[in-house]
Amino acid sequence: MANNHEIPAKMTAIAISQPGGPKVLKPETRDVPVPGPGEVLIRVHAAGVNRPDVQQRKGAYPPPPGASDLPGLEASGEIAALGDEISRWRIGDRVCALTPGGGYAEYVKVHAGSVLPLPAGFTHSEAAAVPENYFTVWHNVFERGGLKKGETLLVHGGSSGIGTTAIQLASAFGAYVITTAGSKEKCDACLKLGADRAINYREEDFVAAVKDATDRKGADVILDMVGGDYVGRNYDAAAVEGRIVQIAVQAGAVASADFSKVMVKRLTHTGSTLRPRTVEFKAAIAAALEAQVWPLLGTRKVAPIMDMIFPLTEAWRAHERMEEGEHIGKIVLDVE
Ligand SMILES: NC(=O)c1ccc[n+]([C@@H]2O[C@H](COP(=O)([O-])OP(=O)(O)OC[C@H]3O[C@@H](n4cnc5c(N)ncnc54)[C@H](OP(=O)(O)O)[C@@H]3O)[C@@H](O)[C@H]2O)c1
């Protein structure tokens, strides 16, 4: 392992002391991880907060085998040490990374293929808000959903970290973007980000609204994080040959739906979770993002929407904020 400055043996990290509410997130002293072959150690400046962290805290989303038990799926900072077999990165490089866990800490080790340079002009807080959402949206909307220029994307939860990313990227790549959100304020934020139509799902039926907005045709791709009764309603809102991509089931994993619509409309209903995928898979997404999305981040054609920043030791407040559901965009932990 190579490093050129003193790396302490111990660090402060936020651990899940037991499954439960936000206050189970407690600072702990842990060993600084040692990067193995193909891994780098990042001295963390900022860490992103994501809904899956909340589920992990509640005991509903255990880390995959071999991953850190600490929460945190993304971080930004500088490379502090290199494991063997690293050619691209140098100590001191300013980077952000998708982490398999462990982002809520002063140091995190990560496979080099999940690391990307800090987008030009970005602060560490902004960069920490990028990886989890951009990797997820890129794979699910563009690779799995196959969204093309001129097609219509319906994205549920438009004001979420994922939603704000999907709206901006789909719009930047020439799609017509319809989104749902639970208040006028959230709908207005989505329109400002480039959505062509924002539906307040508490006041309007999204199926009827999507049909109205698309000349009865429906949406070519639907990114859904809701599940439950949205499954059947997505089939109604989809266009012929539509692709529905499931990334979460917040309203329920079990649903009853009219599957004849899958046949009649020749729909594809697919889905994925990012965290357990291989390092090779994540490296391929990182390469695609660097080639196609990093230039857009560098000119701020797309950028993470920053909601609030909390100190690392107050991670519980960040989780409280997320669970209150008032946030628009990303919540981030400041680790400096
Ligand atoms: N599969 C994957 O690889 C992957 C990766 C990352 C994240 N995810 C999932 O993607 C989702 C968004 O993550 P995030 O970190 O961006 O979270 P977030 O900012 O907390 O957003 C959650 C969103 O879900 C919406 N929502 C929740 N329940 C709803 C319901 N019953 N009906 C309609 N909308 C509902 C909320 O919309 P309103 O506030 O407007 O109600 C909110 O915008 C989470 O469910 C997360 O688990 C999946």
Side-chain angles (χ1 to χ4, degrees):
M1 185 178 86
N3 73 71
N4 70 355
H5 74 282
E6 247 349 272
I7 297 173
K10 302 281 181 190
M11 65 176 186
T12 300
I14 299 299
I16 300 169
S17 55
Q18 61 183 77
K23 294 249 170 106
V24 304
L25 294 175
K26 298 223 165 94
E28 269 185 14
T29 300
R30 292 279 186 106
D31 290 344
V32 171
V34 177
E39 293 178 332
V40 300
L41 182 72
I42 297 173
R43 186 164 84 80
V44 178
H45 288 250
V49 174
N50 293 281
R51 180 68 53 167
D53 307 343
V54 171
Q55 285 152 305
Q56 181 178 342
R57 192 202 73 220
K58 290 176 173 169
Y61 191 55
S68 167
D69 65 314
L70 299 172
L73 300 173
E74 58 189 350
S76 75
E78 69 211 51
I79 304 261
L82 306 170
D84 292 337
E85 300 160 26
I86 301 294
S87 50
R88 175 172 182 182
W89 302 110
R90 297 281 171 270
I91 288 163
D93 283 351
R94 286 154 52 85
V95 295
C96 58
L98 189 72
T99 64
Y104 291 16
E106 290 178 312
Y107 289 87
V108 64
K109 72 172 179 177
V110 54
H111 193 274
S114 297
V115 179
L116 284 152
L118 220 68
F122 268 44
T123 64
H124 278 296
S125 305
E126 290 173 318
V130 168
E132 175 72 7
N133 288 164
Y134 279 73
F135 276 67
T136 301
V137 167
W138 186 259
H139 175 59
N140 288 289
V141 171
F142 296 97
E143 296 181 341
R144 199 158 278 280
L147 183 71
K148 294 177 203 64
K149 188 175 176 176
E151 288 193 322
T152 298
L153 172 72
L154 168 62
V155 49
H156 292 300
S159 63
S160 64
I162 292 278
T164 51
T165 306
I167 291 169
Q168 292 183 72
L169 280 182
S171 170
F173 284 98
Y176 182 81
V177 182
I178 306 176
T179 192
T180 62
S183 70
K184 180 174 184 312
E185 189 203 358
K186 288 179 175 180
C187 285
D188 287 346
C190 294
L191 292 170
K192 260 177 78 181
L193 285 177
D196 297 284
R197 173 83 166 84
I199 302 160
N200 181 344
Y201 68 82
R202 295 186 203 277
E203 292 179 352
E204 263 187 286
D205 171 36
F206 78 77
V207 176
V210 168
K211 289 285 175 67
D212 278 355
T214 56
D215 224 1
R216 318 304 307 159
K217 182 174 167 273
D220 300 295
V221 176
I222 301 179
L223 183 67
D224 185 33
M225 58 180 74
V226 180
D229 77 328
Y230 274 37
V231 173
R233 295 167 74 197
N234 285 338
Y235 292 171
D236 290 332
V240 169
E241 303 278 2
R243 291 88 70 195
I244 297 145
V245 190
Q246 206 70 50
I247 57 162
V249 287
Q250 295 181 87
V254 178
S256 154
D258 179 352
F259 292 103
S260 71
K261 289 180 181 149
V262 176
M263 298 183 288
V264 171
K265 290 170 128 180
R266 301 186 296 282
L267 303 177
T268 302
H269 189 171
T270 179
S272 74
T273 58
L274 179 63
R275 194 176 185 186
R277 303 300 296 270
T278 63
V279 291
E280 293 79 12
F281 172 85
K282 291 171 184 170
I285 301 185
L289 284 173
E290 190 168 1
Q292 302 201 54
V293 175
W294 252 232
L296 303 179
L297 288 166
T299 56
R300 293 203 176 254
K301 181 153 189 196
V302 300
I305 303 309
M306 305 302 286
D307 179 73
M308 285 182 80
I309 301 175
F310 296 90
L312 176 69
T313 48
E314 293 177 21
W316 65 272
R317 286 181 59 211
H319 276 221
E320 242 180 27
R321 169 94 185 140
M322 181 163 268
E323 287 190 282
E324 281 161 10
E326 295 300 317
H327 64 291
I328 294 178
K330 291 289 294 191
I331 301 167
V332 167
L333 301 175
D334 187 351
V335 184
E336 290 174 89

